[in-house]
Amino acid sequence: DVQLVESGGGSVQAGGSMRLSCTIHGYTYSAGCMGWFRQAPGKEREGVAVLYTNGVVTYYADSVKGRFTISEDNGENTVYLQMKSLNPGDTAMYYCAAGLVAGTKAADFGYWGQGTQVTVS
């Protein structure tokens, strides 16, 4: 029974910051990765940030490099996405995901949260 629960979404003005969090229940990993994806109306789901559990690679989409930071708190089994300098292009439903193998595409992840909406105006 694996559950991922996102929180922290909402509406902000351009230039603002937000911090998303995702708590994971019933899931333990030593390899693979935790990631954040987003999907806007009319667009496909895209990976925005991925943290490999072994710390080898931290992936960021070109559109968010320098603005978004992914991190985790192992003790609390939580992954975060700190977002800065937000712009309207960041508006989307953001999803937390977990996978047993390393990857940066949605198909690489087997567990998903319900998503949290981020709206930037």
Side-chain angles (χ1 to χ4, degrees):
D1 186 16
V2 179
Q3 296 182 23
L4 282 68
V5 182
E6 303 97 333
S7 63
S11 299
V12 299
Q13 293 190 343
S17 300
M18 293 185 69
R19 187 194 192 199
L20 306 182
S21 63
C22 172
T23 56
I24 304 97
H25 306 273
Y27 183 81
T28 302
Y29 62 90
S30 59
C33 54
M34 297 296 299
W36 286 96
F37 291 75
R38 67 185 183 187
Q39 186 166 24
K43 297 184 178 181
E44 62 183 14
R45 187 170 298 185
E46 63 174 346
V48 297
V50 177
L51 176 66
Y52 291 86
T53 55
N54 59 11
V56 175
V57 176
T58 298
Y59 165 85
Y60 293 100
D62 290 340
S63 60
V64 307
K65 288 181 179 178
R67 300 189 298 117
F68 289 14
T69 302
I70 185 172
S71 62
E72 65 178 347
D73 183 330
N74 297 102
E76 297 295 328
N77 211 29
T78 302
V79 62
Y80 304 94
L81 184 67
Q82 179 67 54
M83 306 182 291
K84 300 179 179 179
S85 300
L86 289 163
N87 60 66
D90 296 316
T91 296
M93 182 72 75
Y94 283 71
Y95 299 89
C96 176
L100 294 176
V101 298
T104 59
K105 298 181 178 180
D108 297 319
F109 294 79
Y111 304 99
W112 295 84
Q114 292 299 306
T116 183
Q117 179 68 36
V118 173
T119 301
V120 185
S121 61

